[in-house]
Amino acid sequence: MKHIIVVGNGMVGYKFCEKFVQKTEFKDFKITVFGEEPRPAYDRVHLSEFFENQDAKALEMAPAEWYAENNIELITGERVSDISRKDKTIKTAKNREFSYNYLVLATGSSPFVPPIKGVEKEGVFVYRTIEDLEGMLAYAAKLKAKKPNAKAAVLGGGLLGLEAGKAVMDMGLEPHIVEFASKLMPRQLDLRSSQVLQLKLESIGLNIHLSKATNQILGNGSIVGLEFGEDDLLDVDMLIVSAGIRPRDELGKNCGLEVGVRGGIVVDNKMQTSDENIYAIGEIALYNQMIYGLVAPGYDMAGVAVEQIIGKTEELMPADIDMSTKLKLIGVDVASFGEPFMPASKGHSIIFENKTQHLYKRINVSHDGKKLLGGILVGDASTYNMLHQIYLNGMAIPEDPSQLILPASDGASSFGDVTDLPDEAQVCSCESVTKGQICSSIENGEATDIAGVVSCTKAGTGCGGCKPMVADLTNATLKALGIEVKEGVCEHFELSRQDLYKIIQVKGYTTFNEVLDNHGTGGHGCELCKPLVASLMATINADTANKEYAIQDSNDRFMANIQRNGTYSVVPRVPGGEITPDKLIALGEIAKKYDLYTKVTGGVRIDLFGATLKQLPLIWKDLISHGFESGHAYGKSLRTVKTCVGSTWCRYGMAESVSFGIELENRYRGIRAPHKIKGGVSGCIRECAEARGKDFGLIAVEGGWNLYLGGNGGATPRHAELFAEQIDNETVIKYLDRYLMFYMRTAKPLQRTAAWQERLEGGLDYLKEVIIEDKLGIVADLENEMETLVNKFECEWTQAVNDPEMMKRFNHFVNTDEEDDNIVFVPMREQKMPEPWK
């Protein structure tokens, strides 16, 4: 038998073995794998998950038994120290010698540690292996025992550096990111997207230091700080170096293989080195004068090397390697595809930016506007997979390309469906799985659900970025075959939002962990399911955002809208827009007291901008003392019921719109829903309250009110549809109670009433049958549920200011009462505004 020796048992070394054992020619070969670490291959892409459960087994690519079952000799904890190309042998650090017919080098890379004075001090770590992480955890525990407010810095603001920043947070240390460049992730992001990412990371507690060259590490024996220059110091108790990687090419250099000027073993498109019997794959391989630091190209290299060794020499690496990638850094989506940085000479860039929500989307299109060339997504990469496929397959784009990134109302797609992709479209780049393979696995009966598709094709088992598209293709194929599909909310729940609603209601759950433990698939939850479950429990139990503030979205957590400079805006409720002179004066006095920028909103409320986190409860306390309450401007809940003055003052008014608007706003205030809800009440058909642009709208006519449902503004404005004519106040409330509860029961997460209503089978006619005719026999239940929510209302601002424990979370820093001195304002029209972006 021919003997293959694989040096390196990382992800790419393991993938070589996995691909080889699938070949019928495998029986003609013996494989021996050497791993320097004491354990089998594990998933370095998700290494930071080790801090959540410290379970190394959970990261294993395959257990040691898998190697034995496939007749692969796995030797761990033993480093290969020498290669003799003449004798075709390798020697290990234990002075053992092995001969080979083919040698596959998959030694990967090692962390680059800059030559900084003091880097050898205790408390300095690299971020590469599980052993590195275990060392950090032990050191952090020792630090916190002596110094509860200990700080740790990460040297490097790239992909791995930000992952290390998450690790620092998980260890309970104050995190600092130190980056030499003037922006985060300089290789993947442009300046504006990097600024948006920085804002988001700072909002969740990371301290970012850019344009910092570290001169030396301070301390006597152990680290106590970093020095960047004269009088420019940062006190830290621990340092994690994540400043890049260097190929582990020393074996190749020592045995005379051709090596690149800056490192890496030179390979051709067969993955062969300058020695035809030696292959190099992964981060050690220098292909096209580049080291590819992503797992997908490494897996492709492993596949090519397998084909070449078994004699299928037509299998070659492509000349161009797609470096597109989607990641979730500290819970923040970051993605880039195609050409993220593109000069104006090659095409046009279209940019959508919303710094208040930490969103940045950029696409690059050809000069004629017909071809997608690349892009960058930060904050929301839900469209990445489809955009990536459009780019890869040269698919047609809308006549107005901006539709690809503008926030379409309630998730409506501007670029078709996953089923429009050609069968040869590569959905999973890590495992080279096409759309055709995914669909075929279902059509031929091999798979009947997503788990089956993954098992058959391995799609989604690499970096995981393709999971949403794999799920969409699976569901679309099952539906086409007439098979019922249950749509889970995320990887932690296989249940849909509607299923979770029913379960929480029936079981009476009141905490997220109860729901997760009894109906989840494991893990700790994520930014999708946590706010969703919080919203459901609020809808069912009338819980406020204070109940479990840790699972809320950031705005709900602090019950205020965060603004672009890290301050907050405060919007008290002004029902119907009616306000007394005393209350109007009180708002002015409070705004002056806290030096807040003041603006009347589009929903006829007064918004107070520029409050720091620490000021929020103080402002609320003053507002409450004057009779105000939370306006829920931050929540997925009722915002406003806009009114005109109606028959109270207007000569055209046919009904008292202000009074009825106030009654409706006070009735539905505080209820949590799948998305925000707005209402409008116009006193006549002149429509001064713009009621038809709202989720529910009333227009006074002869004989009562015309009720309109399912309108909204935004990027895709929709007029509400006429639902009932000439009805009285009591009937309006009855229909609205039923409508809103039915919506809250059945809509998808973050789906506005307009999109929900549009997608209802049977549309408006079906809705009338349910709400008016009681086709489903549920209207009594809907009315009772709404009445319960109405009666349980409690102002969450008042809750917070009256509870000392709740008040503790309104500090910018966890370990000091100091304010954030990075917040800068400049004058604007006798008020102030945040300092413009540089």
Side-chain angles (χ1 to χ4, degrees), residues 194-209:
S194 180
Q195 287 176 339
V196 171
L197 177 62
Q198 180 179 346
L199 270 177
K200 176 61 177 176
L201 297 180
E202 288 175 335
S203 76
I204 60 177
L206 260 72
N207 300 281
I208 312 292
H209 310 267

Side-chain angles (χ1 to χ4, degrees), residues 539 638 668 671 673-674 677 695-696 709 735-746 753 756 771 782 786:
T539 299
L638 180 75
Y668 301 124
I671 59 170
I677 302 168
D695 297 274
F696 64 86
L709 298 175
Y735 287 172
L736 279 179
D737 282 0
R738 297 172 182 179
Y739 173 77
L740 292 173
M741 280 309 310
F742 190 51
Y743 162 64
M744 290 189 283
R745 272 190 179 191
T746 61
T753 56
W756 167 74
I771 302 303
L782 297 176
M786 180 58 78

